[in-house]
Amino acid sequence: MQQNNDQIQRFIFDATDIRGEIVTLDQSFLAATNHQHLSPWCKSLLGEFLAAVSLLSETLKFDGLLTLQARGDGDIPLIMAETDNLGHVRGIIKPAASAPLETLDLGDAALPDIIGNGVLVMTIDPKIGERYQGIVPLENGTLAECLSDYFERSEQLATKFLLFSSPEKCAGMLLQALPAQKVKDQAEREDKWNTVVQLAKTVKQEELFELDHATLLYRLFNELECRLFAGKTIQFKCGCSRKRCANAITSLGKQDALELIEQQQKIDINCEFCGTNYTFKRKDIDTLFGEDNQPLH
């Protein structure tokens, strides 16, 4: 049986106005998390965000970068997952000073309790056009419930997210009602939607992790004319670079950069997403700013 690891696929129901996405992250998830020295519980939490941002990327259809970020004052004040339209994902999870990531385990704590007093923010940075940002209320216990409610309110379309994660793998499914085309009667539309959602909610984590997408969807929806489309590959890829780090240093100004060099003999910048270290010494600072104390372009 061929699995669909590190793939996202769209599916539709031919007899009604409902669409869906299904994603399973395996090696991309491990590559995005292994260098961060996370506890199994933290890995699973970040996995939900990586699965969610992958589903969002195919739902919103953009050309650029999409970020899903939870910020607050709780034991985990920051969780961030990013993807682009090419299927490149990365993410980080940062604890409060008193909550070491290597051992942190909050059990079945609700997402608002984990994040504390804060917000869930979805941001789209398109290559062309204006930046979009949506605030998702942290009013439900899970990320899936928060996103489902947000889309129902903002898009005026019934939406259901299902997210699953372990320390080794994460997966998710999205269902969304479409504007009435095939089925016009409102009562019939609601009945079909409820049927699809109830069937989807029977899915188990091990099924999403172990079965290929076609087999799983047939097992869930074999009487509903479900059609699965070709998959798109998801992979871990970090957008950090030495040039971006250099730009961060030039934004400090030459005087502050030189003071850091005097104190530390070098400036080290570590990427939290991939663990790459970028080192800048005195000669690098001189090259960055040039003899006229102005950044080079």
Side-chain angles (χ1 to χ4, degrees):
M1 184 180 296
Q2 182 179 1
Q3 294 183 318
N4 297 108
N5 292 332
D6 301 302
Q7 279 203 334
I8 188 166
Q9 290 181 270
R10 181 170 65 97
F11 59 91
I12 62 171
F13 295 91
D14 288 328
T16 190
D17 303 303
I18 299 173
R19 61 173 293 275
E21 304 283 347
I22 183 170
V23 66
T24 306
L25 304 183
D26 182 10
Q27 293 303 311
S28 56
F29 172 47
L30 294 177
T33 57
N34 278 349
H35 68 279
Q36 297 188 53
H37 307 293
L38 305 177
S39 69
W41 182 87
C42 287
K43 272 193 176 183
S44 296
L45 179 59
L46 182 53
E48 289 191 17
F49 276 74
L50 290 168
V53 82
S54 299
L55 294 170
L56 288 168
S57 70
E58 292 300 295
T59 301
L60 299 173
K61 294 297 181 184
F62 64 99
D63 185 7
L65 183 69
L66 186 150
T67 304
L68 182 65
Q69 183 176 183
R71 300 193 307 265
D73 59 5
D75 290 313
I76 302 287
L78 175 66
I79 309 173
M80 181 190 300
E82 291 183 346
T83 189
D84 60 19
N85 54 291
L86 300 177
H88 300 145
V89 297
R90 67 177 190 169
I92 56 171
I93 180 169
K94 300 184 71 173
S98 60
L101 284 180
E102 293 87 348
T103 58
L104 185 61
D105 187 340
L106 299 180
D108 295 326
L111 184 61
D113 295 330
I114 294 168
I115 302 300
N117 183 30
V119 294
L120 187 61
V121 182
M122 182 172 57
T123 305
I124 299 175
D125 283 305
K127 293 178 181 177
I128 300 175
E130 296 184 0
R131 189 170 187 254
Y132 167 84
Q133 191 168 81
I135 306 298
V136 183
L138 282 171
E139 297 175 348
N140 295 276
T142 68
L143 175 62
E145 292 169 340
C146 289
L147 291 173
S148 297
D149 281 357
Y150 171 78
F151 271 84
E152 288 208 32
R153 295 176 186 179
S154 64
E155 303 292 329
Q156 303 297 308
L157 295 171
T159 304
K160 182 69 176 179
F161 281 81
L162 298 168
L163 300 173
F164 299 89
S165 188
S166 76
E168 294 81 30
K169 209 165 189 175
C170 60
M173 185 185 300
L174 174 144
L175 298 168
Q176 190 170 63
L178 298 171
Q181 292 183 342
K182 299 175 182 178
V183 179
K184 304 292 187 180
D185 181 75
Q186 184 60 30
E188 185 180 354
R189 283 174 56 81
E190 291 179 2
D191 180 65
K192 290 184 178 295
W193 170 254
N194 291 333
T195 297
V196 170
V197 168
Q198 290 306 313
L199 290 172
K201 287 168 65 175
T202 66
V203 70
K204 298 179 175 61
Q205 176 171 290
E206 56 267 27
E207 291 178 310
L208 264 168
F209 286 0
E210 298 171 6
L211 298 178
D212 66 276
H213 293 167
T215 299
L216 177 57
L217 292 178
Y218 181 80
R219 178 179 291 188
L220 292 172
F221 309 120
N222 64 84
E223 297 180 359
L224 296 175
E225 299 180 53
C226 181
R227 179 154 50 104
L228 182 65
F229 292 84
K232 172 181 171 181
T233 299
I234 304 293
Q235 60 182 319
F236 167 69
K237 185 175 181 180
C238 188
C240 73
S241 68
R242 188 172 179 83
K243 182 178 180 181
R244 287 191 175 187
C245 294
N247 289 339
I249 292 174
T250 58
S251 69
L252 291 175
K254 187 173 184 179
Q255 182 176 349
D256 287 344
L258 288 177
E259 286 180 3
L260 286 174
I261 288 290
E262 291 296 325
Q263 295 169 9
Q264 307 168 174
Q265 306 305 312
K266 60 181 180 178
I267 298 175
D268 282 316
I269 298 179
N270 294 297
C271 178
E272 295 179 298
F273 289 97
C274 69
T276 301
N277 174 263
Y278 298 92
T279 297
F280 295 82
K281 298 183 178 181
R282 174 59 189 259
K283 63 179 182 180
D284 301 310
I285 301 304
D286 290 339
T287 301
L288 280 176
F289 287 91
E291 295 181 358
D292 59 356
N293 292 353
Q294 295 298 317
L296 297 177
H297 297 287

